[in-house]
Amino acid sequence: MSTTRMTISIKNLKEIADLLNTVVNEAKFKLDANGLSVKAVDPAHVAMISIDVPKEVFLDFQVDGEEEISMDIEKLKSIIKLANSNDTVTMIREKEKLKFEINNIIKSVSLLDNNTVFTPRVPQISSESYVVVAKPELEKGLKAAEDVSDSIRFMLSPDDFRARSISDSEESELILTKELLKEIKCSNPVKSSYPLEYLLKLIKSLSSSEDLKLGFKDDYPLTIEFKFGIPRSGDATIISGSFLLAPRMEQ
Amino acid sequence: MNTISEKYRPETFDDLIIRKDILLQIKNWLDSWKDGIPAKRALLLWGSPGTGKTTTAITVARESGVPIIEMNSSDQRNAESMKRVALMASIYSDLFNDHKGDTKGFQRIILIDEADNIFEGRNSGTGGDFGGLSELSKIIAATHNPIIITLNDFYSFRRKNAGRDIINRSLVLEFKQYTRRGDLDYKTFRNKLTDRIREIASNEHLEFSSERIDELIQKNGQDIRSIINDIVSVLPYSDDKVLSLGASRRDAPVSIYNTISDTFKDRTYEKILIDLWNKDFTTEDYLMWIDQNLPYEADEADDLYKAYDILSVSDMFVGRVMKKQHYAFKGFAEEISAGISSKIEKPNKSYVKYEFPSYIMRMAALRETRETRKSLFLKLSTLMHTGSDKVNDNLWYFSYMTRNRNFLESAEKLLMLSEKEMAMLKTERKLH
């Protein structure tokens, strides 16, 4: 059996770790001939993330058959901190350990038991209405809502997209008219509220992403699809991910 | 948790071994969610270990066809993690619930298991589960999903401020299979249990005679989990089909309630001693509990006089044992007080709700005053270059001085007195 060996840019690995960390502390990575994929759900079943890293994103990717690797995300992040942002990292599986090679540093950490880390099945979520917004625009709207309330209401009509937050004393609203949106598909107005904290964490972790596709309908889970990652020179293949958020229960 | 009792966890309400009236109340409460959020948004199940509290909570989720979010004693349960898990679960829907036609009125069940093991500590610095219970209380007030809380020790839970809030906001049910041996509930319990034991035994390829089953039930009382564990603990010996349960005696810790109840009601000296051997509390606790509850058990003044005499002897004994540090001799004090009921000629025959010793509660309340006094004395003695005993003697003088506005202001600034220390300094003069 040949060894599992992957090399990836530290920027990409950091972004993956940050994204997972918005939802969980431990994750199980699945490796196969296509690349690496990972899914995780928070303990309250409110937020789920799934990330697919095609093998072309890796500078070197040697995996035989299928394999699972479970890791503590905090630990992964602490290793990433040892590197400079332009470095690459090589990970080599050695039995129950994973060896990281960053420049002149070699660090080996033990892996978690695959049976103790839960991989969720992805629920069937589909909405006809969606909108594509520029990340900085949405980010401003979320920041405006911070401190106002714990949740934010997304409203989509054929003419605009709004994100509103209301408390007894304060109110904030982001209004993006059709012209300011990259894409919109909506025949009937829809609205639903989502936990602000997770949205803020997601946006903060998505450093290299430009556009976000938000799909939802009335009181229904929100799907956020995004692409991120630094492509290898001349190669356009990048990482895709999706984030699911449960709606607030309305009375 | 225990894997073997989990393996035989019931799947439906019908499989549950709990009293019919309790099950009915739970079902009614669940049904009430269909018509909107009920007044009591939480269900608090309490009772001794192994009576089916957690099992019932899990079965409720299963029968309702919704996911269950559990926070048990192996999770951290401070304010922050309560917010991250229970709060989120209480107002948002569940990703794993198919979002078609929600007829139940809720999306998931939130289970806070063994809530009496949420150890709050006095501040966030001491770590633990600081703020966990108060956060839980807030979550219950606003939840859109049913919350089920389980705990063993209801009475000490009630003494915590947040615990009391939680109780007020919950439908409280005591888990008990029967009140006394021989009543109707006891017979139903026994029959159901016997069937279940047979079923599990045959599943594990074991054979139990009726006498063995009787012995199992006798030994474990209402603790079904222990019964299942006992059945399985004979597995290694399953080669010989004649199973000796004697090999699997397991001591269950006895709670203070049971011991006090045996001391006053059962009055069998040997039984009380066995309770005391298996106790999970200290000799001092035992004496204080007797002290608190003795007046309810002995109506006659003469009985009370004699009984307290016994108690005082054993208290003296404990005092000497502690002084000499011969802790092993504490057993004698227990044995003396265990016989206390022999001096009660006319015992109270009716049910007594045993109370937690008020002495301990008073001491806890006084602790704050004592600490304020200590820090005030320390500040004054540093300023006056004297010992704190001297400060104590002269406190009346400092108090008197506080009538002077200038002194008061400079003292406050110089000593950085807290509000409580200030109040103590000002009121002390009343004594003189």
Side-chain angles (χ1 to χ4, degrees), chain A residues 41-48 120-121 123 150-151 193-195 197-198 220-221 244-251, chain B residues 36-37 67-70 84-97 99 102 105-108 144-145:
Chain A
V41 69
D42 84 299
H45 302 177
V46 166
M48 186 188 289
R121 67 181 167 85
D150 296 334
S151 68
S193 300
Y194 302 101
E197 197 187 335
Y198 277 115
Y220 189 79
L244 296 180
L245 268 184
R248 196 183 161 95
M249 295 169 74
E250 308 290 346
Q251 201 39 26
Chain B
I37 297 175
I68 187 165
I69 302 289
E70 183 179 343
R84 196 164 45 84
V85 185
L87 175 64
M88 279 292 171
S90 73
I91 51 174
Y92 290 97
S93 29
D94 200 293
L95 286 174
F96 297 123
N97 214 346
H99 299 266
D102 174 16
F106 54 87
Q107 286 268 330
R108 59 162 80 78
H144 287 234
N145 287 313

Side-chain angles (χ1 to χ4, degrees), chain A residues 115 185 214:
Chain A
N115 296 321
K185 179 173 180 263
L214 314 178

Side-chain angles (χ1 to χ4, degrees), chain A residues 64-129:
Chain A
D64 263 4
E66 282 189 13
E67 205 173 331
E68 285 180 332
I69 290 178
S70 299
M71 268 208 84
D72 185 301
I73 305 297
E74 287 294 336
K75 211 171 225 174
L76 181 60
K77 282 172 82 172
S78 73
I79 293 166
I80 291 169
K81 282 200 189 111
L82 299 171
N84 298 318
S85 62
N86 290 324
D87 286 344
T88 60
V89 54
T90 300
M91 294 165 277
I92 302 155
R93 170 124 193 215
E94 289 176 335
K95 285 177 189 155
E96 296 314 307
K97 284 191 172 158
L98 194 64
K99 188 167 86 177
F100 291 81
E101 292 177 0
I102 308 168
N103 286 334
N104 39 9
I105 293 175
I106 295 172
K107 186 153 174 157
S108 226
V109 297
S110 49
L111 296 170
L112 301 170
D113 180 357
N114 281 328
N115 296 321
T116 61
V117 183
F118 169 69
T119 307
R121 67 181 167 85
V122 179
Q124 288 293 323
I125 304 284
S126 69
S127 313
E128 295 83 45
S129 304

Side-chain angles (χ1 to χ4, degrees), chain A residues 1-13:
Chain A
M1 196 181 127
S2 65
T3 47
T4 300
R5 193 187 169 92
M6 301 165 281
T7 306
I8 192 167
S9 84
I10 211 80
K11 271 185 187 153
N12 284 342
L13 188 63

Side-chain angles (χ1 to χ4, degrees), chain B residues 373 377 392-393 395-397 399-400 403 424-432:
Chain B
R373 181 174 282 264
F377 282 11
N392 194 10
D393 293 342
L395 196 61
W396 64 272
Y397 173 74
S399 291
Y400 195 80
R403 285 189 190 179
M424 181 171 281
L425 184 61
K426 277 164 123 179
T427 48
E428 185 67 24
R429 66 167 175 252
K430 283 180 194 152
L431 297 173
H432 292 270

